[in-house]
Amino acid sequence: MEKFTLEIIQDALVAAGDEMFQTLQRTSMSPIIYESLDYAVGITDIKGELLAQGNGVTAFLAALDSVVSATLEKFNGENSLQEGDIIIANTPYAGGGTHLSDVSVIYPVFYKKELVAFTVNKAHWTELGGTFPGSVSTVATEIYQEGLHFPFIKIKSEGKINDAIIDLIKGKVRLPESTLGDLYAGIAATEVGAKRVLSIIEKYGLETYKKAKNDFLDYGERMCIEALKEIPNGIYEGETTIEDNGFGEGPFPIKAKITVTDTEFIADFNGSHPQVKGATNLSFSGLVTGCRSLFKAITTPQMDANGGSFRPMKVICEPGTIVSAEAPSAVSVYYEVLITSIDLIWKILAPLIPDRLPAGHMR
């Protein structure tokens, strides 16, 4: 098979991701989406490995493929995915979750009754109910105070919208028009991506498409491993703190041990402080997101993101810490801990690769 054909398909997938990105921006109802661009879009294979991602929030790098993997875990066997299904999810504790305001829309793409891909996006909806307008609280003590929770539910089943969920959203949020507008924008973006994937398959054939996406993933892994070889092997440790949890308590230590080999990068956060009262908690899913952001910066920052480039990375942390919080902990302001965790790895590695890491966020 000609290498040129594979690269054309790969570039077409990237272009499809860009088109999904523009679709969501142009059709959303919330300024945080269409002006602040607080969202990300992408395409994965049938196992959930990221094939292409439109430019968006860097910290959602781990969110798109992870939410697809979690969708596959839930919908299997008799409860399988069907053509025309669309799933929404904002679970903070699994599947690339961050906080409830960040809602993922997942579209399984079928070609001649065979599942061939997923198109997915994750966007910050302005309003999801909860104690305070905007669904973000610095004083929440449990997830139930932070808004509506969508634990991987079908908003569409075989092409038919779930009117009961629509009515539930209308009755639970302060700005139903914009919230539902963001939902429909997310659906539109996934449908645009699905059409582009199917057009690629129609033009080049399913087997050629599969070969191209596998080649792309393997290439991402090879390039990442080559970059790892330029970082001195070793075990490096560091510590930082979260100063406050919103209730005058703290500081709370975060610890990290980074292991670098020629083929592997392990970020171990064991020993960090237990999850805390208040919304200053980060789920393990969010921690992986942060680690991927930093890992991308030190390995292949100029390369289009794909799942293969994250294969050499592993994140470790026992459950129930401030960086691996479990239900029903509040997580509204998770991003404070997320940024701090990124900065901690930054601080640990900066002496080794000063040419790749600029100044951090002063943590």
Side-chain angles (χ1 to χ4, degrees), residues 140-166:
T141 57
E142 55 185 7
I143 194 71
Y144 313 112
Q145 299 165 339
E146 297 180 326
L148 277 172
H149 181 197
F150 306 126
F152 294 88
I153 59 176
K154 289 186 180 182
I155 193 67
K156 272 190 175 184
S157 294
E158 298 183 57
K160 179 176 173 52
I161 197 77
N162 189 330
D163 291 323
I165 300 300
I166 299 298

Side-chain angles (χ1 to χ4, degrees), residues 184 213 247 314:
Y184 294 134
K213 68 96 176 174
F247 293 90
K314 184 178 182 181

